[in-house]
Amino acid sequence: MSLMADPPGADRLSVRVRRGTSAWHEAAQRSGFLDALAAGRLPWEAYADLTAQHWFIYEALESAATTMADDPVVATFLFPELRRLPSLEADLRFLYGPAWSDHTAALPATTVYCTRLRDVAFRAATGFVAHQYTRYIGDLSGGQYLGPAIARSYGLDGDGHRFFVFAGVDPTSFKAHYRALLDAVPWSHAEQNEFITEVAEAYRLNIDMLGELQRRWS
Ligand code: HEM
């Protein structure tokens, strides 16, 4: 065995996707907008705008889950307990009032993101799971630090940041379960690569959206 051999389990999909997209994750972390919100350096409207952009993304993603529910792979990745749309609507109602939908509009980058979601996540399990993984596993990771920081910075106490709170979900054990599911998906090597490529694309779409929010609000 070579001293340079990959560690055991390196061919697992959960390890391949993390390793294959870590540079994209670093770029997402560097985008600045989320840090500025966490530090309270932007007006509250900037946070409300992020919430609005999330609404458009999760509306597309959670519709894809319904449309794709009969796909045998997607069927193993349906988690009603993760659904964010009801929480996002409660947050938007709190932030903008009952006529919240009059105040929300998708940014150009969000429209591009949703178009991509509609192209790939309604068509193939690789596309659906790629977008699901990037958003929800991100929400259950960095989101669990960002949520409380944003709440502190904008004086939110329960209402207005429900998006970050996954009632009844333990992030650590959920992520372990999700990674085990990823490792068990019966995808060919080509399908695994398609999934990893789409995760990179999903990071890029998030980075573009965060960049646009940053330019609008700073
Ligand atoms: C300031 C911004 C961010 C911070 C501080 C952050 C922080 C983190 C941390 C600490 C982890 C590791 C958690 C663990 O190993 O269990 C993680 C993982 C992850 N994050 Fe982020 N993140 C940020 C932005 C983002 C963005 C914008 C996305 C995409 C929308 C994202 C998606 C992910 C995903 C998919 C993982 C799981 C990677 C894996 O499989 O291990 N993150 N994040």
Side-chain angles (χ1 to χ4, degrees), residues 14 18 25 28-29 34-35 133-135 137-138 141-142 145-146 175 179 203 206 210:
S14 63
R18 185 199 306 218
H25 185 261
Q29 278 185 300
L34 294 173
D35 283 341
Y133 161 84
T134 311
R135 280 299 340 174
I137 301 302
S141 301
Y145 303 98
L146 291 166
K175 286 190 285 181
R179 290 192 176 110
Y203 274 119
N206 277 280
L210 293 170

Side-chain angles (χ1 to χ4, degrees), residues 150-170:
I150 288 172
R152 258 193 315 278
S153 293
Y154 295 93
L156 300 169
D157 181 16
D159 286 328
H161 71 114
R162 296 195 186 282
F163 169 73
F164 294 103
V165 181
F166 287 82
V169 177
D170 173 62

